[in-house]
């Protein structure tokens, strides 16, 4: 059975924790392990933070969009912004690459997302925005039965 959630919020740093907790509450119905829950919430945090800091340059008038689909134990998340976009996606996905070193950004966001999820796709156009798609199938047998 499929279940869907959409979330839209202002690109303000305080909303990162809201997004993280909201997605966590939604996926809890699949009874993920503690590690799976932590990993998914971390991925949401990384993607939302990227949208706010890099996509909108901390300008709160932008919006961040999250679409979450639960389907037979698989979680699909799309985190999207309509901000600056990414000039070179391959470069941005390199470990330690950051366009904001003055903010002490580690440049590990995409690497973390890739390591915690089964799939990661990034689509971006300069001045149009960025969409991050991630997918993870839970190992919990209860999730597979729902």
């Amino acid at each position: 059975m499929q279940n869907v959630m959409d979330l839209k919020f202002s690109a303000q740093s305080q909303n990162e924790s809201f997004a993280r907790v909201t997605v966590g509450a939604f996926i809890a119905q699949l009874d993920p392990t503690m590690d799976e829950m932590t990993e998914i919430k971390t991925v949401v945090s990384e993607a939302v933070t990227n949208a706010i800091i890099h996509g909108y340059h901390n300008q709160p008038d932008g919006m961040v969009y999250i679409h979450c689909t639960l389907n037979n134990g698989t979680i699909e998340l799309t985190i999207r912004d309509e901000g600056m976009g990414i000039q070179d996606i391959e470069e941005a996905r390199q470990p330690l690459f950051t366009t904001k070193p003055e903010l002490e950004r580690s440049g590990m966001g995409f690497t973390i997302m890739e390591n915690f999820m089964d799939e990661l796709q990034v689509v971006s156009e300069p001045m149009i925005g960025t969409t991050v798609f991630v997918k993870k199938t839970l190992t919990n047998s209860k999730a597979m039965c729902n």
Side-chain angles (χ1 to χ4, degrees), residues 46-63:
E46 291 291 339
V48 168
T49 299
N50 280 352
I52 293 168
I53 291 175
H54 299 288
Y56 292 117
H57 299 290
N58 286 316
Q59 298 300 312
D61 53 343
M63 299 300 287

Side-chain angles (χ1 to χ4, degrees), residues 133-144:
F133 171 81
V134 292
K135 183 176 179 179
K136 184 174 189 75
T137 300
L138 301 181
T139 57
N140 186 330
S141 60
K142 179 181 176 192
M144 301 304 281

Side-chain angles (χ1 to χ4, degrees), residues 9-121:
F9 52 90
S10 297
Q12 298 180 36
S13 59
Q14 61 266 35
N15 287 337
E16 174 271 326
S17 60
F18 163 73
R20 179 182 170 103
V21 169
T22 303
V23 170
F26 185 68
I27 68 169
Q29 63 193 283
L30 295 182
D31 196 25
T33 66
M34 188 63 76
D35 285 344
E36 289 168 332
M37 178 66 85
T38 299
E39 290 172 355
I40 292 163
K41 288 167 69 175
T42 299
V43 166
V44 170
S45 178
E46 291 291 339
V48 168
T49 299
N50 280 352
I52 293 168
I53 291 175
H54 299 288
Y56 292 117
H57 299 290
N58 286 316
Q59 298 300 312
D61 53 343
M63 299 300 287
V64 178
Y65 305 87
I66 298 179
H67 177 78
C68 183
T69 302
L70 309 179
N71 195 4
N72 295 321
T74 298
I75 297 163
E76 296 180 2
L77 280 166
T78 304
I79 298 100
R80 180 176 64 85
D81 68 64
E82 297 168 337
M84 298 300 297
I86 300 171
Q87 292 287 337
D88 185 338
I89 294 172
E90 289 309 310
E91 181 181 43
R93 289 183 66 165
Q94 294 302 309
L96 305 177
F97 176 81
T98 182
T99 59
K100 302 281 186 184
E102 70 279 6
L103 298 179
E104 298 182 17
R105 305 296 305 157
S106 71
M108 294 299 290
F110 285 130
T111 302
I112 290 167
M113 289 182 232
E114 192 166 36
N115 286 328
F116 285 172
M117 303 302 278
D118 298 332
E119 288 182 36
L120 167 66
Q121 296 174 10

